[in-house]
């Protein structure tokens, strides 16, 4: 019923809300805090935040990747690394799965370090292999990580240049490849996440009386009272809430907390 009631369409959308509802029923019975996945942790976080904060505008809501601002981080290939820790904490991922994920994380870090350190030397044979990948020859020693940053070179190609890498599991190689190749873009998104986390940390009291926040427009008061955002960050995503309204709220919070 989750999809029907909350106004989404699609199997994954319905299942995503169903599993979170189920998890939170159990957490509530155990008198623990609810699980709220954030927009940078999972598409489920984007879906639920959109539904709660923005509503569905009359049309059934569908989860498009374009709705997520951190799509570079929300990849299928890193779902275990993103969510394994949380899954284990709430009792859904076994100790064995948790250890496997932890080991994988360590292997990826180790491999990245190895690729940043290991160099290949220019030679006719090396340049012949590079040419077979459609990649430019090298004239000076170069680290494997630098080669991997070339768009046309994959981790599987590196294994041909450095046979000692052949024992690395392909899932570990793929992660290291993505992290090294796109590190500039990923870094920029992580900085965005960090900025918005600061706003997400500012909790708005559940019983906040928006009528008593000085200077807020009637529209902002009505919308905030309807949505009752949990954090200042969520308030900023409510449609029609302006940066001016957010700074009024932030002043109000500071006064209240002082
Ligand atoms: C023809 C069609 C094709 C679709 N194709 C796709 C597709 O290809 N891909 C995709 O992702 N999505 C597709 N969808 C959408 C998807 O099926 C729904 O969005 C999703 O199933 C909604 O899940 P839900 O659990 O919210 O509701 P439902 O799956 O509708 O479940 C509601 C359940 O509640 C029961 N129920 C209703 N009233 C009561 C009552 N009073 N007491 C007890 N039980 C009650 C119903 O019998 C039903 O079992 C399609 C939908 C249709 C109609």
């Amino acid at each position: 019923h989750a999809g029907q009631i909350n106004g989404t369409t699609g199997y994954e959308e319905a299942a995503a809300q169903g599993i979170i509802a189920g998890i939170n029923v159990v957490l509530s019975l155990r008198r623990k805090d609810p699980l709220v996945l954030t927009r940078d942790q999972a598409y489920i976080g984007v879906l639920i935040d959109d539904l709660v904060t923005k509503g569905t505008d009359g049309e059934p809501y569908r989860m498009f990747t374009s709705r997520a601002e951190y799509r570079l981080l929300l990849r299928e290939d890193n779902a275990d690394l993103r969510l394994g820790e949380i899954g284990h904490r709430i009792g859904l991922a076994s100790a064995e799965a948790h250890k496997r994920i932890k080991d994988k994380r360590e292997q990826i870090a180790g491999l990245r370090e190895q690729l940043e350190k290991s160099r290949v030397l220019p030679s006719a044979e090396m340049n012949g292999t590079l040419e077979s990948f459609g990649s430019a020859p090298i004239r000076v020693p170069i680290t494997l990580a630098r080669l991997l940053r070339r768009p046309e070179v994959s981790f599987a190609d590196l294994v041909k240049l450095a046979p000692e890498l052949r024992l690395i599991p392909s899932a570990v190689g793929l992660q290291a490849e993505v992290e090294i190749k796109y590190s500039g873009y990923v870094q920029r998104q992580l900085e965005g996440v960090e900025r918005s986390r600061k706003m997400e940390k500012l909790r708005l009291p559940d019983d906040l009386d928006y009528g008593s926040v000085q200077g807020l427009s009637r529209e902002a008061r009505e919308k905030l009272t309807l949505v009752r955002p949990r954090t200042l960050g969520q308030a900023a995503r409510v449609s029609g809430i302006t940066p001016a309204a957010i700074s009024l709220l932030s002043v109000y919070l500071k006064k209240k907390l002082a």
Side-chain angles (χ1 to χ4, degrees), residues 38-44 46 65 68-83 105 112 175 178-179 182-197:
T38 54
R39 299 180 69 92
D40 56 293
Q41 283 174 329
Y43 276 104
I44 295 183
V46 177
T65 49
E69 57 278 48
Y70 304 121
R71 336 191 236 297
L72 269 182
L73 308 178
L74 304 182
R75 304 188 310 270
E76 194 185 331
D77 62 73
N78 67 359
D80 52 351
L81 301 170
R82 277 187 282 119
L83 299 170
R105 200 187 300 281
R112 283 188 59 176
Q175 270 319 297
V178 172
E179 289 178 15
Y182 305 107
S183 65
Y185 302 101
V186 168
Q187 196 49 39
R188 220 169 302 154
Q189 292 221 330
L190 286 173
E191 284 162 16
V193 169
E194 207 36 58
R195 271 196 303 277
S196 75
R197 274 214 184 126

Side-chain angles (χ1 to χ4, degrees), residues 98-135:
H98 184 234
K99 178 166 184 323
R100 206 168 47 235
I101 294 166
K102 195 167 156 264
D103 290 348
K104 183 175 169 189
R105 200 187 300 281
E106 282 164 12
Q107 280 178 301
I108 294 165
L111 176 59
R112 283 188 59 176
E113 217 180 296
Q114 182 184 352
L115 296 176
E116 294 289 354
K117 277 192 196 142
S118 305
R119 285 167 192 276
V120 288
L121 306 176
S123 69
E125 193 194 343
M126 175 61 62
N127 284 337
T129 314
L130 282 173
E131 202 185 339
S132 74
F133 307 152
S135 199

Side-chain angles (χ1 to χ4, degrees), residues 194-213:
E194 207 36 58
R195 271 196 303 277
S196 75
R197 274 214 184 126
K198 285 191 187 131
M199 295 259 282
E200 294 299 332
K201 272 199 194 128
L202 291 169
R203 271 299 305 257
L204 295 170
D206 290 336
D207 57 355
L208 201 158
D209 173 15
Y210 288 98
S212 68
V213 182

Side-chain angles (χ1 to χ4, degrees), residues 1-5 8-14 62:
H1 279 66
Q4 296 278 0
I5 291 173
T8 62
T9 179
Y11 305 145
E12 288 93 344
E13 288 81 352
R62 195 112 234 204

